[in-house]
Amino acid sequence: MDESDTNPTAEELTLKKLQGLVTNIKWSKTDVADLFRSLLERFQSAPTNTSGLSSWMLQILHCIEINYITPSWKYKTGKTLIQLVQDKTVTDENLKKCLADDTEKQLDEIIEEIRQQKLNQVDEKLLLEVRDTVSSVNEALTSINGGSQLRGLKKDVLTLCRAAEQTHFRPRLTQIVSLCLMALSKTGRLIQVGTGEGKTCIVAMFAAFRAMRGEKVDIMSSSPVLAERDMREWKTFYERLNITVNSNINKQGKDLQRCYQCQVVYGTAEEFAGDWLKQHFHRMDTFGQREIQCAVVDEVDSLMLDKGLHVVYLSEDMPALQHLNPLLALIWATVNQYMHSQHMYSDEESVVRAVEATIKEALRFTPCELNKDQNICYIPGFLSDLVKSKLKVWIEKAFHAHKMKNDHEYVIEKHGLVPVDYSCTGVVENFMKWSDGLHQFLEMKHQCKLSDMTAITNYMSNVGLLQKYGDQIFGISGTLGQQAETETLQKIYNGITTCQIPTFKRRKLFEVEGVVVTDEQEWIEKICDVVTAQTKPNLYRKERAVLVICESIKRAKTVHDALGNKVCNKKLYINNNSDNTAVFSKHVEAGKVIIATNLAGRGTDLKVSDTVNRAGGLFVVQTFLPKNARVEAQAFGRTARQGSPGSAQLIICTNHLSKLLQLLVLRNKLLSELFLLTNIIDVTPLYQNLFVMQLRLYQKHHSYEESKVLTSMLAHILNEKSEIKIAKQVRDELVAEELSSYLERDITKIKRKEELFSQYLVILDDLYKRSNNKPAQSDVSALNEFWGMWLLTSFNETDSLPDLKNRLSRDLDRARLKLSQRQSPSSNVHHYTVFGNELREKGLLADSIQMYSKAIQEDHCWAAIAYYNRAFASLTQQGKHQDQNCIIQALEDLQNALKSVELYCEEVEVTCRYSTQDIKELHSCSVTRFDEDMIARSRVLWFLMKNINEAIKKLQRARDHGEDVKVEKKLINFLVPSTEFFPLAKKVASLEFFFRFRDPLWMYQLMNDPSSDILMKLESLKSLGLTHVYTLNTRRTLFGFCRKIRSAVHHTFNHFAKRKWFFK
């Protein structure tokens, strides 16, 4: 029985509070019995007490609970809780004040707590040095004009503390201790600083300390918002110390270069990694003379563990992969069909094999004979190796896409389908896409705009980025985790040591006994009951505020809807793309409820009103079992901050757990209850009922004998069993196993790939050096594509690293040799077209024609642009007067180009047909975003066909009438009428564009807006080699007239010659 249950009696609530001391504040049964007896005696000895025993006791127990009073707690007079209760001179009001009173810890107390922490890696010598430094600095801070005699580190720390005091506040002892621990560490150190304990101040002081020593410091925040916020908030602090500071968020070009000239740079790991890739892969001068020297990482456990394998890569055009769209659509349609008949197969592997066989029957690789069979899917031959190596993976991803849910693993935003980091941070990851076709399958599932697949050609993982700093990685987090996590970090990052810093005041987080239910409806009702109970006043407290943290956006919406009118003042905080100022603009007042995802966990600072704190502080309801103890601690860390009270409770539904976790929890629960085999009847409920009845009787008679009976009953009632503890124990065991796999498999794999990438960068360096840092862009693109395709088709996890390196070296040597001979390393028809364009722009028309011819020879089926470009290059080459053969050849090329464009149109049609099978009826609107995008593709191809047809007509006229043709060359954008750009032009001309064009997300949304579709499709054709379009004008000339007469005479002579031979 608890507050959230329907109309619990005061006696039942009293028993629940006593039980909570055992399960949640680690009181022993004996201690609780002693406390209960002392409370009874205190009540008996106060005849003037007008309130009932139960309501009086509930007030005292609530005060013990919200102030997290342990049996070993002592008031500043040295008295324990029981001694204060027994002291008749201490009034009830003074007793409550004593429990709530909490002073900041003294230096010796802080040092001793660090010394006693088992996982802390701080030797005695370092601790004494820290104590001496902090003591001297603190003394100088508290005295007038003190500190003039300090030298070395003490002087520097004093300078930093005074700068912080003058611009913000005087640093607390725990903050100065943290600074000194890192400053005195010769190699990297990770420290755990409690949530709400002022990590931002510690980061700024340590960064300034290293900058004062002439080093460059990179501060990595957990989000771009926090990076910008912290840099702005502490800029005056750095300026007072004459230290330059900036942020790398949303900066490009000169702004980014100026940023990296500063001594201290705030940003995210993604920005630092992306800028490193710009410098070393795209050859942009980003860092200038800046060297990698010192990293300070905020929320270090999230970056190093949860996001350690996250990979940053710069987008690289690989236009050929758009040819895979019809195949992906075919896979999606086939998987849809087999989803209805899965029960016919013994296992998932059998279904995948059946789908694979069906797909292979429909696949044809070009060049080949084309036919009108609608069941055939044509793919360029140069992609055959990729398709054969990845087909099974793509099919598996399609099945996985079926299981994924909107508002859980992903959301649908203005700019398309976006992944959500729901298990850790709750962040909507706007610029992330899933690989291996998964993103495209989900886009088909929801009929979003279809993006093209990409092959990663450059990458930097968070692990790889941090390892570049060697042993100079310093990190701060509210949750470094348990021993398994710290040991994992130390195995990945050499020289790292850890330390947990005590809170500056005793933490008062009371974790209410968790609830485990098996039914989702019961889970929703329990959450609603808890929320409504906490937001209403009761016998012993006023209303509180509640933060409900849900696993996904979908479940947050479900809880929000279920609460309905039960709670008037409620807000959703579920998407970082939304305007959430209303959630944080004011203090959280009593009765307010915030329903959120993990977005409200790490890094969120909710300001709670004094009224709420007096009632017990913010109440956090975690509605799922977090993936690890660190994520759980981050959520609970939103309350009980900086010495204020707070409570938290887990309410989980076993149906939401993974199948493995469900089985393990059930197993452990059964093992823990084996004692029931010998104790057939559980008498605990009986004793609980007796205790409640006896407590009611005692309130009438106040008998000493009855008080003894009540006290003795507690021993039979109080227990330490907890279903939630079983679930957590199983979760933690799985986490330990995952960390072992993380080290042995995941880290090894990412390190291998990064070593191969480093090897590729050496080859790329050589390419730049041999061309005086100005290689042909087509060479760079072709080599990058070859490398990206090599990773997809040739990288095998089971191969040794030396074997992989040798194979890559050999294959890259062959690729470079082909490039030197102006051949495509991957036999990509489009490479030859691009090579030809470069030659054409240099005026080498004959050579460009030869290159276009190579493209046609490679695969005439997809050589539309090569045919098109060759036709106009030939006409241009002959200048003002083309001979008849040239016109005839150009005419033939354009007719072949037209046939090839028809195959491109068929590619779009096949993609549409397969993507929309069994889906159209699920969408209410007649035209989906998928449709709009496909229509734009078709329209651009139609305009190209129109352009070709018009040119064919002109050439036919020139051929038939002996006319010359004049070639007019225009940029590709002139392929379509200007009216097609009006919607986009309207947006670009708006005030919103003027104010937001520097916002990457807004620009990304604009690029994915329907108004940009035509432009994007033109860019797609441009990447395939269609950089210009041509128009023809015919003209009559004397030269053309003579050519026509000569042609007619030649034709007549041949005709009579044939007749003479015939009659002979």
Side-chain angles (χ1 to χ4, degrees):
M1 184 70 64
D2 61 26
E3 295 179 41
S4 62
D5 293 319
T6 307
N7 300 319
T9 65
E11 292 78 15
E12 289 169 334
L13 284 173
T14 301
L15 179 57
K16 186 68 179 179
K17 293 286 185 188
L18 292 169
Q19 175 64 56
L21 296 179
V22 175
T23 53
N24 303 309
I25 313 186
K26 299 177 182 176
W27 284 62
S28 69
K29 295 180 184 180
T30 305
D31 288 332
V32 173
D34 290 343
L35 173 64
F36 181 71
R37 182 171 53 252
S38 298
L39 288 170
L40 287 178
E41 291 171 356
R42 182 181 180 88
F43 187 81
Q44 282 178 299
S45 65
T48 58
N49 202 327
T50 56
S51 61
L53 169 64
S54 293
S55 59
W56 173 83
M57 191 174 286
L58 278 170
Q59 291 176 30
I60 301 299
L61 290 174
H62 177 66
C63 196
I64 293 169
E65 179 183 290
I66 65 173
N67 289 293
Y68 203 82
I69 305 299
T70 63
S72 60
W73 173 88
K74 288 183 180 180
Y75 185 53
K76 52 190 173 186
T77 59
K79 288 187 176 182
T80 64
L81 169 61
I82 291 178
Q83 288 171 335
L84 284 173
V85 170
Q86 293 170 342
D87 189 342
K88 306 298 187 295
T89 64
V90 179
T91 65
D92 288 351
E93 284 305 310
N94 284 337
L95 175 60
K96 292 175 184 177
K97 287 179 181 178
C98 289
L99 298 180
D101 184 44
D102 213 2
T103 56
E104 291 193 22
K105 295 174 184 175
Q106 298 302 305
L107 179 58
D108 286 339
E109 189 180 354
I110 294 167
I111 296 296
E112 185 57 31
E113 282 192 46
I114 294 174
R115 186 180 283 118
Q116 295 303 321
Q117 279 286 341
K118 291 181 180 179
L119 295 180
N120 282 352
Q121 297 167 319
V122 184
D123 59 43
E124 191 62 26
K125 181 182 176 184
L126 178 57
L127 263 184
L128 292 174
E129 196 171 350
V130 168
R131 187 196 177 285
D132 177 50
T133 304
V134 176
S135 177
S136 299
V137 170
N138 191 51
E139 184 181 341
L141 285 171
T142 53
S143 61
I144 301 172
N145 298 322
S148 58
Q149 77 285 1
L150 298 183
R151 298 289 181 270
L153 176 64
K154 294 178 181 179
K155 182 180 179 181
D156 290 342
V157 173
L158 179 61
T159 301
L160 293 166
C161 289
R162 281 187 172 152
E165 185 174 16
Q166 289 161 0
T167 58
H168 293 78
F169 51 80
R170 178 181 292 179
R172 303 186 192 103
L173 284 174
T174 49
Q175 292 171 320
I176 305 173
V177 167
S178 302
L179 168 63
C180 291
L181 269 172
M182 292 196 290
L184 288 166
S185 299
K186 294 181 180 178
T187 59
R189 182 174 290 279
L190 311 181
I191 63 173
Q192 178 171 308
V193 178
T195 53
E197 293 287 309
K199 295 193 295 289
T200 310
C201 173
I202 300 168
V203 167
M205 289 197 297
F206 180 66
F209 171 77
R210 296 298 289 254
M212 286 162 61
R213 279 163 161 64
E215 296 180 55
K216 303 291 187 183
V217 184
D218 300 332
I219 299 176
M220 300 181 193
S221 298
S222 56
S223 79
V225 174
L226 293 177
E228 284 277 13
R229 182 201 70 184
D230 294 347
M231 188 276 292
R232 284 196 302 268
E233 285 185 3
W234 286 86
K235 190 168 186 177
T236 54
F237 165 78
Y238 289 108
E239 288 172 347
R240 185 166 288 275
L241 295 167
N242 294 318
I243 294 171
T244 54
V245 63
N246 209 326
S247 153
N248 63 13
I249 305 298
N250 297 341
K251 287 188 172 61
Q252 296 178 357
K254 296 292 183 183
D255 288 341
L256 190 60
Q257 289 175 344
R258 281 192 290 271
C259 168
Y260 281 112
Q261 289 170 4
C262 294
Q263 293 163 277
V264 177
V265 175
Y266 280 79
T268 61
E270 290 80 8
E271 293 290 347
F272 282 108
D275 294 340
W276 188 92
L277 290 171
K278 288 175 188 174
Q279 176 89 17
H280 294 89
F281 185 75
H282 280 177
R283 309 291 156 155
M284 298 165 62
D285 185 17
T286 304
F287 292 129
Q289 301 301 311
R290 188 185 187 86
E291 295 179 3
I292 289 179
Q293 293 180 325
C294 175
V296 183
V297 186
D298 194 9
E299 304 295 358
V300 66
D301 64 305
S302 176
L303 185 64
M304 288 183 165
L305 289 174
D306 300 324
K307 295 184 176 180
L309 299 178
H310 278 212
V311 171
V312 173
Y313 60 90
L314 304 179
S315 60
E316 183 79 10
D317 283 339
M318 205 164 289
L321 294 185
Q322 64 186 264
H323 292 301
L324 294 175
N325 287 343
L327 173 57
L328 294 178
L330 173 60
I331 292 171
W332 181 245
T334 310
V335 166
N336 279 336
Q337 293 170 2
Y338 276 85
M339 286 293 292
H340 302 304
S341 56
Q342 271 188 303
H343 60 278
M344 297 170 59
Y345 297 89
S346 58
D347 52 32
E348 290 183 8
E349 185 64 29
S350 301
V351 187
V352 170
R353 283 199 298 269
V355 173
E356 190 174 4
T358 304
I359 299 294
K360 285 180 176 177
E361 286 179 12
L363 263 181
R364 298 290 185 276
F365 292 109
T366 58
C368 65
E369 185 179 345
L370 307 178
N371 59 51
K372 298 297 181 181
D373 188 345
Q374 289 193 343
N375 296 317
I376 299 300
C377 179
Y378 294 104
I379 302 294
F382 65 86
L383 293 173
S384 60
D385 288 344
L386 175 64
V387 171
K388 290 170 185 175
S389 65
K390 286 289 183 178
L391 182 58
K392 184 181 177 183
V393 174
W394 295 338
I395 293 169
E396 290 169 346
K397 293 294 184 183
F399 276 108
H400 183 55
H402 265 283
K403 298 174 184 176
M404 296 173 72
K405 296 176 182 177
N406 185 21
D407 281 346
H408 193 85
E409 294 96 335
Y410 58 90
V411 290
I412 297 172
E413 295 283 285
K414 290 180 182 178
H415 47 289
L417 190 137
V418 188
V420 178
D421 180 23
Y422 72 96
S423 63
C424 289
T425 63
V427 171
V428 176
E429 300 178 305
N430 291 300
F431 302 105
M432 178 186 163
K433 286 184 182 290
W434 282 299
S435 60
D436 290 328
L438 178 58
H439 209 92
Q440 287 71 31
F441 293 132
L442 289 169
E443 288 169 336
M444 293 178 203
K445 178 179 179 178
H446 293 282
Q447 292 292 278
C448 299
K449 177 183 176 181
L450 184 63
S451 59
D452 295 330
M453 281 184 69
T454 58
I456 297 175
T457 60
N458 61 90
Y459 46 82
M460 175 67 69
S461 69
N462 289 341
V463 168
L465 173 67
L466 289 172
Q467 286 180 336
K468 292 187 179 300
Y469 292 86
D471 61 2
Q472 291 303 301
I473 306 169
F474 296 84
I476 299 181
S477 175
T479 49
L480 279 181
Q482 299 167 333
Q483 186 172 355
E485 279 125 326
T486 55
E487 287 177 353
T488 300
L489 287 172
Q490 288 167 340
K491 287 175 182 175
I492 299 172
Y493 306 99
N494 295 328
I496 290 290
T497 53
T498 60
C499 179
Q500 183 173 336
I501 305 297
T503 55
F504 79 99
K505 284 185 178 181
R506 188 173 54 82
R507 195 171 185 214
K508 300 176 182 178
L509 173 66
F510 178 78
E511 185 179 343
V512 178
E513 178 62 17
V515 178
V516 180
V517 299
T518 54
D519 177 68
E520 179 151 342
Q521 186 56 39
E522 185 185 356
W523 169 76
I524 293 170
E525 290 172 0
K526 184 64 181 176
I527 293 167
C528 292
D529 289 344
V530 168
V531 171
T532 52
Q534 292 298 328
T535 51
K536 291 178 181 177
N538 60 20
L539 287 168
Y540 53 86
R541 60 150 179 82
K542 294 184 178 181
E543 59 264 47
R544 300 170 73 174
V546 181
L547 169 64
V548 183
I549 299 182
C550 301
E551 186 174 20
S552 67
I553 293 172
K554 187 181 184 71
R555 288 181 184 150
K557 289 178 178 177
T558 300
V559 171
H560 181 271
D561 294 343
L563 281 169
N565 296 326
K566 297 174 186 175
V567 177
C568 298
N569 188 2
K570 58 183 186 291
K571 298 283 185 185
L572 273 172
Y573 177 44
I574 54 178
N575 192 323
N576 45 286
N577 290 337
S578 304
D579 182 4
N580 296 302
T581 51
V583 179
F584 303 104
S585 57
K586 299 177 182 177
H587 279 65
V588 182
E589 296 293 344
K592 183 173 182 179
V593 177
I594 299 171
I595 303 113
T597 61
N598 270 332
L599 201 59
R602 193 181 294 272
T604 303
D605 188 10
L606 292 171
K607 304 296 183 184
V608 180
S609 69
D610 291 339
T611 307
V612 173
N613 277 330
R614 284 194 295 272
L618 181 68
F619 193 99
V620 175
V621 182
Q622 182 96 357
T623 64
F624 63 99
L625 185 66
K627 65 180 290 188
N628 56 51
R630 290 177 295 102
V631 175
E632 180 184 318
Q634 285 289 346
F636 286 2
R638 298 316 99 201
T639 188
R641 297 163 73 89
Q642 299 183 5
S644 298
S647 307
Q649 184 177 22
L650 271 171
I651 302 175
I652 65 173
C653 177
T654 53
N655 288 340
H656 296 165
L657 303 176
S658 66
K659 296 295 182 186
L660 176 60
L661 196 53
Q662 286 183 43
L663 290 171
L664 291 174
V665 168
L666 179 61
R667 182 203 68 183
N668 282 28
K669 183 180 176 183
L670 290 173
L671 289 174
S672 71
E673 294 178 352
L674 278 177
F675 74 93
L676 289 176
L677 294 174
T678 54
N679 298 282
I680 298 174
I681 299 175
D682 184 3
V683 296
T684 303
L686 177 62
Y687 274 108
Q688 287 174 342
N689 291 331
L690 285 172
F691 179 86
V692 169
M693 292 170 61
Q694 195 71 33
L695 188 56
R696 286 173 187 157
L697 287 171
Y698 174 81
Q699 293 182 81
K700 293 179 180 179
H701 305 295
H702 291 190
S703 163
Y704 175 71
E705 290 301 321
E706 286 174 349
S707 70
K708 285 179 66 177
V709 172
L710 281 169
T711 304
S712 64
M713 274 186 184
L714 282 175
H716 299 284
I717 297 171
L718 303 177
N719 63 74
E720 298 176 3
K721 288 193 302 178
S722 168
E723 278 192 79
I724 206 75
K725 286 181 180 176
I726 293 171
K728 287 185 182 183
Q729 179 188 350
V730 173
R731 186 265 317 270
D732 294 342
E733 289 170 359
L734 286 175
V735 167
E737 291 177 15
E738 287 170 5
L739 285 171
S740 175
S741 172
Y742 178 75
L743 269 175
E744 294 172 8
R745 186 189 67 230
D746 298 331
I747 293 294
T748 301
K749 179 180 176 181
I750 200 71
K751 280 188 174 180
R752 279 178 163 193
K753 283 195 168 183
E754 288 186 340
E755 285 212 37
L756 293 171
F757 179 50
S758 296
Q759 182 179 345
Y760 177 67
L761 285 179
V762 172
I763 300 294
L764 203 58
D765 280 337
D766 187 60
L767 179 68
Y768 273 83
K769 287 176 183 175
R770 288 174 182 266
S771 58
N772 202 20
N773 282 327
K774 293 181 180 178
Q777 187 55 46
S778 60
D779 284 358
V780 175
S781 297
L783 197 62
N784 285 343
E785 181 180 302
F786 176 84
W787 149 244
M789 298 291 275
W790 187 93
L791 269 181
L792 288 171
T793 58
S794 299
F795 179 80
N796 193 325
E797 293 180 33
T798 59
D799 293 344
S800 68
L801 184 60
D803 286 346
L804 287 169
K805 282 187 167 184
N806 288 335
R807 193 187 314 148
L808 176 61
S809 181
R810 288 196 304 270
D811 292 345
L812 284 174
D813 285 344
R814 292 193 195 101
R816 291 186 66 185
L817 178 63
K818 283 188 173 183
L819 275 177
S820 67
Q821 298 169 347
R822 304 315 289 153
Q823 296 180 31
S824 169
S826 53
S827 302
N828 184 341
V829 57
H830 304 302
H831 286 171
Y832 291 109
T833 307
V834 174
F835 294 162
N837 290 347
E838 287 183 348
L839 293 167
R840 182 192 65 200
E841 293 306 308
K842 293 177 182 177
L844 303 173
L845 290 174
D847 293 335
S848 73
I849 291 168
Q850 186 178 1
M851 203 56 69
Y852 297 139
S853 299
K854 281 186 179 181
I856 294 164
Q857 291 164 12
E858 196 69 51
D859 191 341
H860 67 276
C861 296
W862 301 100
I865 298 171
Y867 277 123
Y868 183 87
N869 287 354
R870 187 172 76 173
F872 290 106
S874 300
L875 292 171
T876 305
Q877 185 186 28
Q878 292 211 354
K880 295 181 179 180
H881 307 296
Q882 300 90 2
D883 61 36
Q884 195 73 359
N885 289 334
C886 175
I887 289 176
I888 292 170
Q889 181 60 55
L891 186 59
E892 185 181 334
D893 279 347
L894 289 179
Q895 288 167 340
N896 286 326
L898 198 60
K899 290 178 185 177
S900 182
V901 174
E902 287 172 357
L903 184 58
Y904 281 80
C905 293
E906 185 180 332
E907 187 178 67
V908 176
E909 193 274 328
V910 169
T911 304
C912 287
R913 185 170 70 249
Y914 285 127
S915 297
T916 55
Q917 279 186 5
D918 301 327
I919 285 181
K920 278 292 183 185
E921 62 271 17
L922 299 178
H923 298 269
S924 56
C925 59
S926 57
V927 179
T928 66
R929 185 69 187 92
F930 179 91
D931 294 330
E932 290 175 330
D933 182 59
M934 288 296 151
I935 289 169
R937 292 187 189 213
S938 299
R939 280 182 65 76
V940 168
L941 290 173
W942 182 84
F943 282 122
L944 178 58
M945 292 174 74
K946 182 171 181 260
N947 174 272
I948 294 172
N949 276 318
E950 287 173 354
I952 287 174
K953 289 177 183 177
K954 295 289 176 68
L955 285 175
Q956 286 173 337
R957 176 184 172 86
R959 179 197 61 191
D960 296 341
H961 296 86
E963 296 174 350
D964 291 327
V965 291
K966 180 184 178 183
V967 180
E968 187 176 348
K969 177 181 173 183
K970 296 179 181 178
L971 292 174
I972 187 175
N973 289 0
F974 287 93
L975 177 66
V976 302
S978 59
T979 52
E980 296 287 339
F981 299 114
F982 283 178
L984 179 60
K986 187 177 179 181
K987 287 182 178 291
V988 171
S990 67
L991 278 175
E992 187 178 17
F993 180 82
F994 178 78
F995 286 111
R996 300 188 64 181
F997 74 97
R998 288 181 179 273
D999 179 355
L1001 177 58
W1002 191 83
M1003 291 300 295
Y1004 189 46
Q1005 290 171 342
L1006 180 62
M1007 285 169 56
N1008 287 278
D1009 188 82
S1011 62
S1012 298
D1013 282 351
I1014 292 291
L1015 182 62
M1016 292 297 104
K1017 299 306 167 267
L1018 289 172
E1019 287 296 316
S1020 177
L1021 282 180
K1022 186 177 178 180
S1023 65
L1024 294 175
L1026 188 66
T1027 56
H1028 295 82
V1029 290
Y1030 302 88
T1031 55
L1032 297 178
N1033 289 309
T1034 58
R1035 55 189 178 185
R1036 296 176 182 272
T1037 64
L1038 179 61
F1039 179 82
F1041 176 75
C1042 294
R1043 185 180 63 200
K1044 183 178 180 182
I1045 296 296
R1046 185 170 64 250
S1047 176
V1049 170
H1050 182 70
H1051 176 74
T1052 304
F1053 176 79
N1054 285 338
H1055 174 71
F1056 280 106
K1058 287 177 182 177
R1059 289 186 65 184
K1060 183 179 179 181
W1061 176 82
F1062 178 79
F1063 287 112
K1064 184 175 180 180

